[in-house]
């Protein structure tokens, strides 16, 4: 049997994104963790879709549990690493639009990720 070694891309958690994920119900943590693993392995998770409002290369993973929706937003077009920008429970009852404060936070963290990557590349 041919065992291929998968080179996983490093995941970098920005701000409190990992702590927030750990507060989600265990089935949601598993859904998001599985989807991020697929991303780290270099593929596109079927659970991921482009996140609108933060530019290209930013995606969201959505997990529904009971009556709640949870999201993890990550960026892949910054160097070789996967940057997890934000994890949150979507509480909006009016439509599917992500609240502005969440989008603004994601944009700020995307800038942080880009700066981190620049510093990371300079260390090599």
């Amino acid at each position: 049997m041919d065992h291929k070694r998968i080179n996983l891309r490093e995941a970098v958690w920005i701000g409190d994104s990992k702590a927030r994920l750990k507060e989600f119900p265990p089935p949601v943590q598993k859904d998001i963790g599985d989807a991020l693993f697929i991303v780290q392995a270099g593929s596109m998770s079927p659970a991921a879709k482009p996140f609108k409002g933060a530019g290209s290369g930013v995606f969201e993973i959505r997990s529904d549990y009971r009556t709640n929706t949870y999201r993890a937003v990550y960026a892949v077009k910054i160097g070789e690493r996967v940057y997890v920008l934000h994890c949150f429970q979507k509480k909006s009852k009016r439509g599917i639009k992500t609240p502005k404060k969440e989008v603004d936070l994601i944009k700020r963290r995307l800038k942080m990720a880009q700066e981190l990557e620049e510093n990371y590349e300079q260390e090599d």
Side-chain angles (χ1 to χ4, degrees):
M1 190 186 298
D2 183 26
H3 291 286
K4 284 188 182 165
R5 183 166 153 63
I6 299 173
N7 287 326
L8 292 180
R9 295 168 69 175
E10 180 186 354
V12 179
W13 300 82
I14 305 293
D16 65 352
S17 56
K18 193 171 201 171
R20 299 275 300 268
L21 177 63
K22 288 180 183 292
E23 294 170 1
F24 293 173
V28 173
Q29 290 184 39
K30 181 171 179 0
D31 286 352
I32 291 173
D34 290 349
L36 283 173
F37 180 82
I38 292 168
V39 173
Q40 286 180 273
S43 294
M44 181 79 172
S45 166
K49 65 183 199 325
F51 179 80
K52 292 174 177 48
S56 74
V58 179
F59 296 87
E60 68 179 338
I61 299 163
R62 184 176 150 179
S63 178
D64 294 320
Y65 180 71
R66 299 202 171 137
T67 58
N68 298 310
T69 296
Y70 299 85
R71 302 266 172 90
V73 179
Y74 66 92
V76 290
K77 286 191 177 171
I78 308 170
E80 294 299 311
R81 305 186 298 173
V82 176
Y83 287 87
V84 183
L85 303 175
H86 189 32
C87 295
F88 62 102
Q89 180 179 346
K90 189 155 174 310
K91 292 183 158 85
S92 172
K93 296 290 175 243
R94 46 186 169 28
I96 58 171
K97 197 167 163 74
T98 303
K100 183 180 182 334
K101 75 177 183 77
E102 304 289 4
V103 174
D104 290 345
L105 179 63
I106 289 162
K107 286 179 178 175
R108 281 197 309 274
R109 289 186 175 175
L110 180 60
K111 282 194 178 83
M112 289 168 65
Q114 290 163 336
E115 288 166 12
L116 271 172
E117 185 63 29
E118 282 175 26
N119 294 335
Y120 179 77
E121 287 174 355
Q122 289 169 3
E123 289 171 16
D124 282 352

